[in-house]
Amino acid sequence: MELPFAENYRIKMVEPIYRSTREEREKWIREADYNLFNLRSEQVYVDLLTDSGTGAMSDQQWAAVMTGDESYAGSSSFFNLKDRVRQIFGFDYFLPVHQGRAAENVLFSVLVKKGNVVPGNSHFDTTKGHIEFRKAKAIDCTINEAFDTTINHPFKGNIDLEKLQLVLDSYPKEQVPMIIVTVTCNTSGGQPVSMENMRQVKQLADIYEIPVVYDSARFAENAWFIKQREEGYADKSIKEIVTEMYSYADGMTMSSKKDGIVNIGGLLAMRRKDWYDEATVYNIMYEGFLTYGGMAGRDMNALAVGLNEATEADYLEARIRQVHYLGNKLIEAGVPVQQPLGGHAVFVDARRFLPAVPKEEYVAQTLAVELYVEGGIRGVEVGTLLADRDPVTHENRYPSTEFLRLAIPRRTYTNNHMDVVAAALINIFERRDSIRHGYLIEHEAPIMRHFTVGLKKID
Ligand code: P61
């Protein structure tokens, strides 16, 4: 008999989680104004809200924590991380920041000006937020296949080169400070970008003299998909693939809470000294001195180790297999999900799951609340609430996809937990016809409203 696959680690420390009753959950979610961000973590059994900062560090990372250097200036932990960043991404200029959006804030303070346009592949919401906050515009150039969850395209994160060229032809180069490529593309379902597409984007960008920046939160998962799906890469190591990926970029922002496998942190790295020199000023103003930038020395040390672990094929195989274990169970039961399955999460197509709920009543949020009540499982809406209102018309923006995202923290839950999640969602799927109404907004913030929105149930 061929031996089955199993993880290349064992568990040294455990954390109890509480299995609540349906009655408790109905009360708690009502008290939380039907916003899952308002729940206390003890009220959640399996927490798939995000894979950001929620993973389990390895013994080697914890060992590195103990040798963190907390010097204000010139910390050895900073140099450990700087060396790792150069080794993995090939960038000489590096700044630590406290998380991904901070990297965006610092870099965009240098690059993005009022009236600019920033093309990319379905910019993540913080990225878009930092662009729109500067009165600039994010233009989505993702391939159309990404928006049809039934199409099985291997690289749904790809940029449509014709759409990109149209943007570059329509604006003078002074108005386009960069192209942002998000690897993997979170918003379209944790979908990878192919190496060929990265190469072509860079070629086009060079013709128009526009720099390319990678939003790198899940760069290692992207490399794993290239190894699996793209011709010519099966025998390359993940680190070799990452090196090639970043040879087509001028700079990067990164939330290291994902593929850095740490609980907090981020970074900014680039080839260009002129960007770096300007960015240092904003880094000092917003984050901290250049050799810690919002991170403790111990966290920089853990990140240096985490980046190395995340770019090992064995780790990535275990990681992505677990996501696909859950996704395949749902697919077998007929639950509509974004296909092919992505890297960090299963994205449930809420419109196809709950066709009777009107779009004005927040379909994916309705499904997210149902799943919480059913099994104590917390996912997150990636749909109309997250899309915010149009900054000019203040009307709701209805995105082309309405997802309930089930993001799986790294090295944290077992496949038994995934079985519970699948069973709960399948139970709802079986009674989906009885769910006909969703929610109304009672109060909301002007930007990134999903974090704090208050909702009222429509009976
Ligand atoms: C997530 F509900 N992602 O997926 P920061 N780029 C990319 C990200 O995925 C990302 C950031 C930049 C999160 C956390 C999150 O409204 C939300 O370290 C591709 O979170 O600042 C973050 O990195 C920003 C969840 C963020 C949200 C914003 O769950």
Side-chain angles (χ1 to χ4, degrees), residues 37 48-53 98-104 122-127 130 182-187 215-218 253-258 263-266 344 347 380-382 386 405 407 448-451:
F37 285 95
L48 307 187
L49 182 81
T50 180
D51 62 324
S52 179
H98 79 273
Q99 62 183 88
R101 68 200 73 184
E104 291 162 356
S122 301
H123 312 65
F124 188 63
D125 65 347
T126 57
T127 319
H130 274 292
T182 304
V183 291
T184 57
C185 184
N186 189 355
T187 312
D215 176 345
S216 308
R218 300 178 183 86
T253 56
M254 180 176 180
S255 166
S256 45
K257 302 170 72 174
K258 287 84 166 169
N263 303 116
I264 193 71
H344 66 294
F347 284 65
V380 76
E381 191 253 24
V382 179
L386 186 79
R405 186 186 76 172
M448 304 199 72
R449 62 182 178 179
H450 62 289
F451 285 124

Side-chain angles (χ1 to χ4, degrees), residues 26 37 104 130 191 250 281 312 331 339 358 369 371 387 390 393 448 451:
E26 280 171 349
F37 285 95
E104 291 162 356
H130 274 292
Q191 297 292 320
D250 298 284
V281 178
E312 291 294 333
I331 291 169
Q339 297 206 41
V369 174
L371 183 61
D390 185 287
T393 66
M448 304 199 72
F451 285 124

